[in-house]
Amino acid sequence: MRTIAITSGKGGVGKTNIAANLGILFAERGKRTVVFDADLGLANLDVVMGVRAPFTLQHVVTGEKSLLEVVCEGPRGVRFIAGGSGIEDLLNLTGPQLEGFLSELEGLTKTTDILIFDTGAGIDDKVMTFLRAADETLLITTPDPASVTDAYATAKLLFMVKPDAIVRVLMNMVIDEAHAHAVFAKLNAICRQFSGKSMFYAGHVRHDPQMAFYIRKRVPFYGAQPRLKASMDLANVASRLMGEVPEPQESGLAERLRALFGFGLKKSA
């Protein structure tokens, strides 16, 4: 199973909309895809998907439901896990409760090709846990100077705690491809200069006023109108990502999370 953590240095850059629509694109192309709402500050993936989630991670944490039982069907074949207030409680689990969740996560891998973590914005420990556990990070930024600065801060910290991190940058709300490449080049140059690390260009999504209409209607813009400029751009991003599959890590996702939680628990026999 391939794991992609989608994050941003600051809020308001379209992170969750990108995560939801990218998930739909992967699912349309035959990949069994689950989008996992790992945003503690603003868990609204179900709103963006336009599907009311009857159960969330909170029900998993309390033991009312298993992880597989809270997976919801989204548009066009994508599946998702709504967060609610469950992420904070999840990251505070210890002992048997934590091990139970990680065992269920291992079960999810059997029915999933791509797992997308829609993380929170910023650089707190909760966000970094998911970025470190994932195979790769898709960092969303806009051309706004504050967004670019915060994106660099996120990449810098991630490289500090995970030197071999694969960080791909998606330029959102740009004028055109040339604009996207120019901003990315500056961001990557700063990262190389001060961190000694390079990031990868994942593509761009042009500013599209029509996209706002679908966002207000709580409908994924690609699912509603694949011919939008933003939809076609994101389709190109999906194609690029599907063609750039990272080498699989030695340990599975559950094992990596187990180590990051710091408990080093043994898997149940």
Side-chain angles (χ1 to χ4, degrees):
M1 182 181 71
R2 181 181 182 182
T3 51
I4 304 172
I6 298 184
T7 194
S8 60
K10 66 187 294 293
V13 301
K15 173 179 57 61
T16 298
N17 274 290
I18 294 295
N21 286 279
L22 196 57
I24 291 172
L25 276 155
F26 286 145
E28 273 200 344
R29 297 175 188 207
K31 296 296 184 181
R32 298 173 299 173
T33 306
V34 174
V35 186
F36 185 116
D37 192 344
D39 188 340
L40 172 63
L42 190 63
N44 63 349
L45 179 62
D46 55 337
V47 174
V48 173
M49 287 287 191
V51 177
R52 182 181 178 276
F55 305 109
T56 70
L57 276 174
Q58 187 64 41
H59 294 91
V60 178
V61 172
T62 58
E64 298 172 65
K65 296 289 179 180
S66 70
L67 186 62
L68 290 176
E69 287 176 326
V70 304
V71 177
C72 296
E73 294 294 328
R76 300 200 174 199
V78 71
R79 295 173 293 156
F80 71 95
I81 298 171
S85 59
I87 286 295
E88 185 169 18
D89 292 334
L90 171 64
L91 294 178
N92 290 327
L93 289 180
T94 59
Q97 284 183 302
L98 174 61
E99 185 62 19
F101 170 78
L102 293 175
S103 295
E104 291 186 9
L105 187 61
E106 288 179 328
L108 182 65
T109 67
K110 299 175 182 177
T111 59
T112 306
D113 298 315
I114 299 176
L115 176 62
I116 297 174
F117 287 125
D118 176 30
T119 78
I123 56 176
D124 65 27
D125 291 342
K126 297 178 179 65
V127 173
M128 283 295 147
T129 295
F130 289 102
L131 301 192
R132 293 172 68 185
D135 296 318
E136 60 199 302
T137 293
L138 184 63
L139 180 58
I140 313 297
T141 185
T142 71
D144 176 72
S147 179
V148 173
T149 299
D150 289 343
Y152 163 67
T154 300
K156 178 182 177 182
L157 181 57
L158 178 56
F159 283 130
M160 288 175 61
V161 298
K162 186 180 180 180
D164 61 346
I166 298 172
V167 181
R168 308 185 195 278
V169 178
L170 188 152
M171 299 299 310
N172 196 21
M173 304 181 197
V174 296
I175 298 171
D176 53 27
E177 186 174 8
H179 184 208
H181 276 290
V183 177
F184 170 75
K186 293 178 181 178
L187 173 59
N188 198 35
I190 293 170
C191 192
R192 285 200 305 266
Q193 179 180 356
F194 294 103
S195 297
K197 301 288 185 178
S198 292
M199 298 181 286
F200 300 94
Y201 179 74
H204 69 278
V205 175
R206 286 169 288 177
H207 175 68
D208 190 341
Q210 295 183 64
M211 183 172 64
F213 169 77
Y214 294 103
I215 293 174
R216 287 195 298 270
K217 289 184 66 177
R218 299 183 178 181
V219 177
F221 62 85
Y222 176 81
Q225 183 49 266
R227 302 306 299 172
L228 288 179
K229 290 188 298 183
S231 296
M232 292 187 289
D233 290 341
L234 195 59
N236 290 332
V237 172
S239 296
R240 183 189 294 261
L241 290 174
M242 290 182 70
E244 298 179 353
V245 180
E247 291 291 327
Q249 299 192 42
E250 292 183 3
S251 59
L253 175 63
E255 287 294 333
R256 298 196 296 271
L257 282 170
R258 185 176 284 109
L260 289 169
F261 277 112
F263 297 104
L265 299 175
K266 300 292 185 182
K267 289 191 291 186
S268 300

